[in-house]
């Protein structure tokens, strides 16, 4: 890995981490379910969907993929926090909320990725 690639990866990681911190620092609740992790996962999936189409359309250099996909989206989204929240719900025997949390994070994140891809494809007329 070249120093420029490492720098882009780190810059994307710092930006994604900062944004995740700002979004998750104050709990957003929907009843007893924390929504912060879902919000960052949806944003990251949507941005990744947009970028996937852009990178394919314009055949972008891998350094941009490192910056946005791996660095920014990788540090913005958070599987570990999702797993921890789900584990806490399980330990508290909140099985209905476990189902909602899993379906929302997985299903809506995939939907968000497809939405980003679709929107960018429409914008670029591809």
């Amino acid at each position: 890995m070249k120093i420029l690639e490492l720098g882009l990866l780190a810059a994307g990681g710092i930006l994604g981490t900062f944004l995740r911190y700002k979004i998750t620092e104050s709990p957003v609740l929907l009843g007893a379910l924390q929504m912060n992790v879902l919000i960052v996962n949806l944003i990251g999936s949507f941005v990744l969907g947009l970028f996937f189409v852009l990178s394919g359309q314009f055949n972008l250099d891998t350094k941009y993929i490192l910056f946005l996909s791996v660095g920014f989206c990788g540090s913005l989204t958070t599987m570990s926090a999702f797993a921890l929240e789900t584990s806490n719900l399980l330990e508290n025997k909140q099985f209905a909320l476990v189902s909602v949390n899993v379906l929302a994070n997985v299903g809506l994140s995939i939907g968000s990725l497809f939405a980003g891809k679709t929107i960018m494809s429409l914008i670029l007329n591809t």
Side-chain angles (χ1 to χ4, degrees):
M1 177 174 279
K2 297 176 186 166
I3 194 75
L4 174 63
E5 293 169 339
L6 183 61
L8 288 169
L9 180 63
I14 290 168
L15 290 173
T17 299
F18 176 76
L19 183 57
R20 180 174 73 199
Y21 172 75
K22 293 309 281 178
I23 292 172
T24 59
E25 71 180 333
S26 299
V28 175
L29 299 173
L30 180 62
L33 189 62
Q34 262 197 328
M35 301 300 294
N36 302 72
V37 170
L38 177 62
I39 291 167
V40 296
N41 286 339
L42 294 179
I43 292 169
S45 296
F46 183 77
V47 169
L48 188 58
L50 293 172
F51 184 71
F52 178 81
V53 173
L54 273 176
S55 65
Q57 179 70 22
F58 296 107
N59 198 23
L60 295 179
D61 189 277
T62 57
K63 63 184 173 197
Y64 300 110
I65 294 169
L66 281 173
F67 172 75
L68 194 75
S69 296
V70 179
F72 179 76
C73 290
S75 64
L76 172 63
T77 59
T78 175
M79 179 56 81
S80 58
F82 161 61
L84 178 62
E85 285 181 358
T86 305
S87 170
N88 289 341
L89 291 169
L90 280 168
E91 288 172 359
N92 291 321
K93 299 184 184 352
Q94 295 177 298
F95 301 116
L97 289 178
V98 168
S99 298
V100 169
N101 193 42
V102 170
L103 290 173
N105 271 282
V106 175
L108 293 177
S109 290
I110 292 170
S112 184
L113 182 107
F114 276 111
K117 288 172 69 173
T118 301
I119 289 170
M120 188 54 68
S121 292
L122 289 171
I123 291 170
L124 297 175
N125 293 316
T126 57

